[in-house]
Amino acid sequence: MSRAVESDPHVSASVLAAYSYCEAVTGRQARNFAYGIRLLPTPKRRAMSALYALSRRVDDIGDGELALDVKAQRLDDTRALVARIRTGEVHEDDTDPVAVALAHAAAHFPIPLEGLDELIDGVLKDVRGETYETWEDLKVYCRCVAGAIGRLSLGVFGTERGALHAERAPEYADTLGLALQLTNILRDVREDALDGRTYLPADDLAKFGCSAGFAGSEPPAGADFAGLVHFEVRRARALFAEGYRLLPMLDRRSGACVAAMAGIYRRLLDRIEREPEAVLRGRVSLPGREKAYVAVRGLSGLDARNVSRQTVRRRV
């Protein structure tokens, strides 16, 4: 996402500069995320870029090379910054452009900033090297690092006036975040193993003979790796199906944004399902032209209409 922030007579030059910085961060690092937020109107696109830039900062602390105690301190500092944003203590002349942009966004959209505290909690789990025995355990982590992002984003998107069951929108946004995170975990299983991290539940690994881990480019001897991947893919598909019920509740462009981001991950899931062992040989990804196609499909509203029809059929 390389476009500059448009001038706006209602937004000061310092805030515009802060948003411009966040959009540059998003365009440089967001990959799949950037395809979706391109479809948003300017105010929402700016706000989403600010959310991404702060979230990226938290993730970078967790993934960096700093000593564990330094990481923990940096995360505490970021939590304090979020508290300052929440209480209106960040002003336009602050030297941190991400804080300035997010403070402006939070003043104009009902963003549940406590979701950023949840994200920090999740990254602290990474810093501590936590592992997960069951899917219920892993869900807690996924809700922190991805479900919270879904709920934060919903604060920017909003729901359409009169949308049926709109009170369940945060739940669906959270579930869609879980679907994306589980897809990420499958895609990055070897990369995470090389970093000393295991996310898939120990119960599932044991069930399919994969407890030895994934440090090599081949599955553990005697393991049913394909069975493990297909089991987790089915779980992710069920989460996508539930989370997609959010789409008809959103306005056209917000729905297009969500459909584009989720659609990219669903296609990644399709690739992983077709060739499970590919995730042990390198990162599975989609070419740019396919991501662009998914974005156009999202803008057409086709996915939202499909979900609406399926919901009607279930009620009949």
Side-chain angles (χ1 to χ4, degrees), residues 28-245:
R28 190 166 59 247
Q29 300 187 43
R31 298 191 184 117
N32 299 333
F33 185 84
Y35 275 86
I37 66 171
R38 281 192 183 107
L39 305 177
L40 293 170
T42 298
K44 291 185 178 184
R45 191 186 73 243
R46 291 171 178 164
M48 289 296 291
S49 293
L51 275 174
Y52 177 85
L54 196 287
S55 302
R56 179 77 263 166
R57 178 181 296 179
V58 173
D59 285 343
D60 286 346
I61 293 170
D63 292 338
E65 302 298 326
L66 298 170
L68 298 186
D69 60 333
V70 177
K71 287 185 178 184
Q73 182 58 57
R74 295 280 180 89
L75 291 171
D76 282 346
D77 292 344
T78 306
R79 196 188 299 275
L81 175 63
V82 172
R84 288 180 57 226
I85 293 170
R86 185 184 296 117
T87 55
E89 297 175 43
V90 172
H91 304 293
E92 293 184 6
D93 59 354
D94 195 284
T95 56
D96 184 339
V98 176
V100 171
L102 188 53
H104 185 273
H108 290 80
F109 294 98
I111 300 171
L113 291 174
E114 61 273 11
L116 291 169
D117 289 299
E118 294 180 59
L119 173 61
I120 293 168
D121 291 340
V123 173
L124 278 170
K125 292 176 182 290
D126 287 337
V127 170
R128 292 192 292 261
E130 292 189 20
T131 55
Y132 308 97
E133 289 296 315
T134 67
W135 167 238
E136 291 302 314
D137 295 332
L138 180 59
K139 270 204 299 190
V140 174
Y141 169 78
C142 291
R143 289 194 192 284
C144 286
V145 299
I149 300 300
R151 286 177 268 116
L152 285 160
S153 300
L154 182 63
V156 175
F157 299 144
T159 56
E160 285 279 76
R161 186 184 300 275
L164 289 175
H165 308 300
E167 72 281 356
R168 299 192 66 183
E171 171 191 337
Y172 295 142
D174 184 278
T175 300
L176 201 52
L178 265 63
L180 269 60
Q181 186 63 23
L182 183 53
T183 303
N184 266 338
I185 288 170
L186 289 172
R187 181 195 64 188
D188 297 340
V189 66
R190 186 179 180 214
E191 183 179 323
D192 289 333
L194 293 174
D195 287 337
R197 294 177 180 173
T198 300
Y199 291 101
L200 290 175
D203 283 359
D204 295 351
L205 296 176
K207 184 187 305 182
F208 293 94
C210 294
S211 297
F214 310 107
S217 58
E218 298 293 332
D224 181 9
F225 181 71
L228 170 67
V229 170
H230 290 151
F231 178 79
E232 303 297 350
V233 165
R234 288 193 295 274
R235 175 175 278 156
R237 288 196 190 287
L239 292 168
F240 272 115
E242 181 72 5
Y244 259 53
R245 297 174 77 171

Side-chain angles (χ1 to χ4, degrees), residues 258-279:
V258 174
M261 290 189 285
I264 288 169
Y265 278 87
R266 284 184 70 184
R267 284 172 176 258
L268 279 174
L269 202 62
D270 291 342
R271 290 195 172 204
I272 292 168
E273 182 181 38
R274 286 196 300 269
E275 193 178 356
E277 293 186 17
V279 299

